[in-house]
Amino acid sequence: MEDVYKTIAEASKAIYTEKRSRFIAYAIPVLSTRDVKNEIDKLKKEFYDARHVCWAYMLGADRLEFRSNDDGEPSGTAGKPILGQINSNELTNILVAVVRYFGGIKLGTSGLILAYREAAADAIREAGIIEKTVDIQISFGFEYPFMNDVMKIVKDLEPIILEQSYDLNCSMTLEIRKAKFDELSNRLEKVESLSFIE
């Protein structure tokens, strides 16, 4: 079961010039379509005088949610080559947007495809590619006398403790990589008094 995915380390910017047209490319980490929309809106405000703001994004560890947009460029000459760079680097949770300022010389279909592809590739290179694990959260409650049983499991499997409260009734929220999730929940199930919280 694959529980690792590639994304970018940080937002980046790259500038590519072709026949006096300027392509300003941004690679931005995103987690939702709302993030994508916010980032595109910001770029459109900042570069209100640009002729095109073309983009593509990919979301989710399974890389099943994606879209591209040519923003007025001839169909398939901007969004697709940008998405192609995201795909060839096997990235997800990323938005790549390219702002174009027209330089007065037409680039033609192949020229546009090349320029958008190179601009996107430069921005991705600048951002740096990292690997992340797919993590799952689990929340549960238990009675205080069973604290040692729970803490032994936490010590063995080393999940991240996101929240914890110790009282007569204790509760905890843990995060662990997908590959170890079943083992964690199976071991927790055996702890007396413990119940999972949806």
Side-chain angles (χ1 to χ4, degrees):
M1 174 172 56
E2 191 60 56
D3 67 348
V4 177
Y5 63 91
K6 289 181 187 171
T7 189
I8 52 171
E10 58 190 5
S12 69
K13 174 182 174 182
I15 296 172
Y16 181 82
T17 313
E18 182 66 40
K19 291 183 181 162
R20 297 211 301 264
S21 274
R22 276 178 72 225
F23 297 84
I24 308 164
Y26 291 86
I28 303 163
V30 287
L31 293 172
S32 66
T33 49
R34 183 187 294 143
D35 290 352
V36 169
K37 186 184 178 323
N38 290 343
E39 294 297 340
I40 292 166
D41 288 347
K42 272 195 255 178
L43 289 172
K44 286 194 169 193
K45 270 198 192 86
E46 185 181 344
F47 297 102
Y48 63 90
D49 57 342
R51 191 172 275 202
H52 308 281
V53 179
C54 307
W55 49 266
Y57 70 79
M58 178 83 65
L59 293 172
D62 50 14
R63 303 180 71 242
L64 293 176
E65 192 179 347
F66 57 88
R67 258 189 77 197
S68 63
N69 187 309
D70 295 316
D71 192 36
E73 291 283 30
S75 179
T77 60
K80 272 208 178 107
I82 296 169
L83 187 60
Q85 285 305 305
I86 293 172
N87 271 325
S88 67
N89 287 286
E90 299 171 355
L91 297 172
T92 192
N93 294 350
I94 180 174
L95 163 69
V96 178
V98 181
V99 179
R100 180 186 179 199
Y101 283 97
F102 184 52
I105 301 167
K106 287 205 155 107
L107 300 181
T109 308
S110 57
L112 285 171
I113 291 169
L114 180 74
Y116 279 105
R117 187 177 70 213
E118 289 306 312
D122 290 350
I124 289 168
R125 254 193 308 278
E126 287 294 317
I129 295 172
I130 55 170
E131 278 196 351
K132 285 191 168 181
T133 56
V134 178
D135 299 321
I136 300 177
Q137 289 181 16
I138 187 168
S139 300
F140 53 90
F142 56 94
E143 290 168 13
Y144 190 79
F146 302 100
M147 171 68 76
N148 285 347
D149 299 348
V150 170
M151 291 318 288
K152 172 156 183 20
I153 296 168
V154 168
K155 187 171 176 287
D156 290 350
L157 295 178
E158 301 178 328
I160 298 164
I161 299 171
L162 297 176
E163 283 174 31
Q164 53 190 350
S165 76
Y166 306 120
D167 223 344
L168 206 52
N169 288 316
C170 306
S171 69
M172 226 179 224
T173 298
L174 304 176
E175 187 172 80
I176 194 161
R177 67 184 287 177
K178 192 175 173 183
K180 287 179 158 184
F181 180 77
D182 288 345
E183 186 185 353
L184 177 66
S185 64
N186 291 341
R187 285 185 62 182
L188 287 170
E189 255 169 32
K190 295 183 179 105
V191 174
E192 255 183 273
S193 87
L194 187 139
S195 63
F196 294 106
I197 302 161
E198 285 301 315

